[in-house]
Amino acid sequence: MRVDSTRFGPKQAEETELFVAPEGLPGLGGRIFVLVAPHGTEAPFWLQSVQDPAHALLLIDPSRLDPGYAPKPGPAASLFGVQESALLLRVVAWPAEEEGKLYANLFAPVWLSLEARLVAQTPMVGSGHELRVLFDLPSQG
Amino acid sequence: MLSLARREGQKIRIGEDIIVVVREIRGRQVKLGIEAPEHVRVLREEIHEEMSQANLEAAERADLGFFDRLLGAMR
């Protein structure tokens, strides 16, 4: 499948790279995304919208930012019909105005099933977590 | 848009799994109870809008230069 991206240019995506967001990802068009992980899924990686070439989210392992962050995967596991242990937890990250810092969305973590190729963003209402949390860029760890 | 008139205590069923009940009507405010499967995202519209704005901000600002800086910092 050919996928156009303002970041990566035209890309030929294999079926194994396509992820479905059953409930969509708020603000982004469509429900199908391409996982772009040039350094694997342990390193930061992207979810590129198939529908909108400009829409891609950069995802990062939140344990590199806040080791105590432990959202519950229940809703995503229920939505995907998989074991909680089969889910990969990531958060959306983007550069802050201040050099060397980033924002991460700890309010609405992103859960992925790499096996079922499903993705969901689940808000944690009442958790005290915020949509934009400022962090230093994580260092080697 | 479908509009339904309901009184306090009355319910609306959406599909097989979702029930909305009018729990209380006080002045200009209505308190609703919602029973839905755990995986169904039920949100105040304002929160959904804030999540959308945050995702759009992230999609606009995260570029390949930032990705490279992030990878470089983590190596």
Side-chain angles (χ1 to χ4, degrees):
Chain A
M1 172 187 227
R2 179 191 154 113
V3 177
D4 290 316
S5 166
T6 56
R7 288 175 180 78
F8 312 112
K11 174 179 170 55
Q12 198 62 35
E14 302 296 326
E15 194 174 325
T16 54
E17 297 173 301
L18 298 178
F19 279 64
V20 174
E23 295 194 321
L25 298 177
L28 307 187
R31 293 174 190 271
I32 302 177
F33 295 82
V34 181
L35 188 140
V36 182
H39 301 277
T41 52
E42 292 305 310
F45 62 88
W46 300 86
L47 276 180
Q48 168 68 52
S49 166
V50 166
Q51 181 172 304
D52 190 328
H55 284 174
L57 294 178
L58 176 58
L59 302 180
I60 182 172
D61 179 354
S63 70
R64 302 297 299 271
L65 303 170
D66 178 356
Y69 180 68
K72 293 186 170 59
S78 171
L79 176 64
F80 297 168
V82 301
Q83 297 288 319
E84 293 184 2
S85 58
L87 293 176
L88 187 69
L89 167 65
R90 293 293 181 263
V91 294
V92 178
W94 64 101
E97 297 79 4
E98 193 177 340
E99 187 65 29
K101 295 190 180 284
L102 61 78
Y103 288 117
N105 180 348
L106 300 191
F107 173 75
V110 175
W111 297 94
L112 301 104
S113 166
L114 297 181
E115 191 171 340
R117 300 201 308 275
L118 294 168
V119 59
Q121 190 172 24
T122 58
M124 298 195 294
V125 177
S127 66
H129 289 297
E130 296 184 5
L131 280 161
R132 293 173 185 80
V133 184
L134 190 63
F135 290 99
D136 292 327
L137 288 189
S139 56
Q140 184 180 8
Chain B
M1 179 189 291
L2 174 67
S3 297
L4 299 171
R6 299 273 70 191
R7 297 179 189 280
E8 235 174 65
Q10 292 186 322
K11 299 178 179 179
I12 295 168
R13 181 179 287 271
I14 303 171
E16 281 301 306
D17 300 331
I18 300 173
I19 294 174
V20 180
V21 57
V22 180
R23 293 182 60 190
E24 187 180 311
I25 302 170
R26 185 179 294 178
R28 293 167 55 106
Q29 193 170 48
V30 178
K31 189 176 283 184
L32 302 173
I34 299 162
E35 292 175 28
E38 185 183 29
H39 66 266
V40 174
R41 195 162 60 202
V42 179
L43 289 175
R44 290 182 177 89
E45 176 61 20
E46 307 90 274
I47 293 177
H48 185 270
E49 185 58 30
E50 288 173 7
M51 286 175 62
S52 297
Q53 289 301 322
N55 276 349
L56 287 171
E57 180 182 330
E60 185 177 322
R61 299 201 54 182
D63 57 18
L64 292 177
F66 175 68
F67 181 61
D68 288 341
R69 288 200 301 281
L70 188 56
L71 286 174
M74 294 171 71
R75 282 204 184 105

